[in-house]
Amino acid sequence: MTSPIVSVRDLQVHYPIGGGFMKGKPQTVRAVDGVSFEIYPGQIFGLVGESGSGKTTVGRAILKAAPITHGEVTLRVADTALHVDQLRGDGLKALRRHAQMIFQDPYASLSPRMTVRDIIAEPLEAMKLTRNREETDRRVREVAEKCRLNLEHLRRFPHAFSGGQRQRIAIARALVSNPSFLVADEAVAALDVSIQANILNLLKSLQQDMNLAFMFISHDLSVVAHFCDVVAVMYLGEIVEIAPTHKLFSQPAHPYTQALLSAIPPLDPDAKRDRVQLSGEIPSPITPPTGCRFHTRCPVAQPACQTIKPEWTQISGDHGVACHLVADHVDSTVPEHLQEQKKHAMPEC
């Protein structure tokens, strides 16, 4: 079996707040609280959830752009394993060479004082990946062409371009170092629907040509259904379900996943649909609920959900969920000698 290119085990990202004179007792924001998953070469791994669930923090932590409080993050490049959680100084330069990020806002992520050529060339020059200016220019032209940018655009500044064109520039900058893994953080959220389709088709084409692995962070489930191979659902710093895209959308197991999918508007405006209504707001990551973190909003919560944290349950080899109701159902159908093995299962893609 192919080894994963990204392996995340019990990732935690906590931010201390408060403390000091007249500031009250120190507290901790548990932005990400024990996340585990794997991403394989050439795979598009989707990460979905409400705002504040910790999606962006996970993506930044994998690239060491957010502090890792606890856990292991490993990026495998050829025969080398980069332990991201341990990297410092020059080690981070090696990580940047193989892992890049596409940011959400194409207007804020590009320097208005640099030409498009300089923006795309910056990673090459910062990491010293080319020997001279001629080689740099050749690489910039190659990547610009792959991203469907005209060569005459290289002399212009970002203000001269639309949002879709700016995002193509950002994609070219991310690809110029020839990485093997990309984090796309809401890469099409700020674009018009027609432009979104063009950018997604471009990313899909580049992913196939370069055998890239993607983490695609989004709140738009229709985009995720079209673009991703595997989807993980996050709620309040934890992953509650992981499954192949077709299985997650056809057989959602966690009540939170079911609620998210029920909110997708149908193509037929007159079609009837059964909405799963969630009461209240997402709790604070400073004081998350005990037991199952979703129990305060879950329409089918049981007494045990309030005090006992659900264990990770593998419904099948590629479909895992953290829910008491699902675990009880699986336990009643799984042979006894396999139940102990199930209890120790880790979420896998």
Side-chain angles (χ1 to χ4, degrees), residues 237-254:
E238 296 181 342
I239 289 180
V240 298
E241 187 166 4
I242 297 179
T245 304
H246 65 89
K247 188 172 293 187
L248 186 91
F249 279 76
S250 63
Q251 304 171 27
H254 197 281

Side-chain angles (χ1 to χ4, degrees), residues 224-270:
V224 170
H226 168 75
F227 189 65
C228 298
D229 303 315
V230 175
V231 180
V233 181
M234 282 196 73
Y235 182 80
L236 201 60
E238 296 181 342
I239 289 180
V240 298
E241 187 166 4
I242 297 179
T245 304
H246 65 89
K247 188 172 293 187
L248 186 91
F249 279 76
S250 63
Q251 304 171 27
H254 197 281
Y256 180 60
T257 307
Q258 295 168 6
L260 290 180
L261 296 181
S262 74
I264 301 176
L267 295 178
D268 183 1
D270 298 324

Side-chain angles (χ1 to χ4, degrees), residues 126-144:
M127 292 183 278
K128 297 182 171 64
L129 298 179
T130 52
R131 292 168 293 184
N132 49 54
R133 185 179 178 87
E134 289 73 19
E135 186 176 349
T136 300
D137 288 341
R138 182 168 63 253
R139 177 60 182 160
V140 168
R141 288 193 296 269
E142 290 174 358
V143 172

Side-chain angles (χ1 to χ4, degrees), residues 51 175 223 305:
S51 297
L175 293 177
V223 170
C305 301

Side-chain angles (χ1 to χ4, degrees), residues 300-321:
V300 293
Q302 304 297 314
C305 301
Q306 301 178 20
T307 57
I308 303 174
K309 184 176 181 178
E311 296 182 359
W312 188 263
T313 302
Q314 288 297 136
I315 300 175
S316 62
D318 55 3
H319 189 175
V321 66

Side-chain angles (χ1 to χ4, degrees), residues 10-17 27-35 47-48 50-61 66-70 234-239 282-288 293:
D10 194 26
L11 174 64
Q12 298 178 23
V13 180
H14 297 170
Y15 295 100
I17 61 173
Q27 295 178 307
T28 300
V29 177
R30 300 175 179 272
V32 179
D33 208 17
V35 165
L47 193 59
V48 302
E50 292 175 280
S51 297
S53 60
K55 307 185 300 297
T56 295
T57 306
V58 169
R60 290 177 177 269
I68 298 175
T69 305
H70 177 76
M234 282 196 73
Y235 182 80
L236 201 60
E238 296 181 342
I239 289 180
I282 186 170
S284 170
I286 299 176
T287 55
R293 295 190 175 183

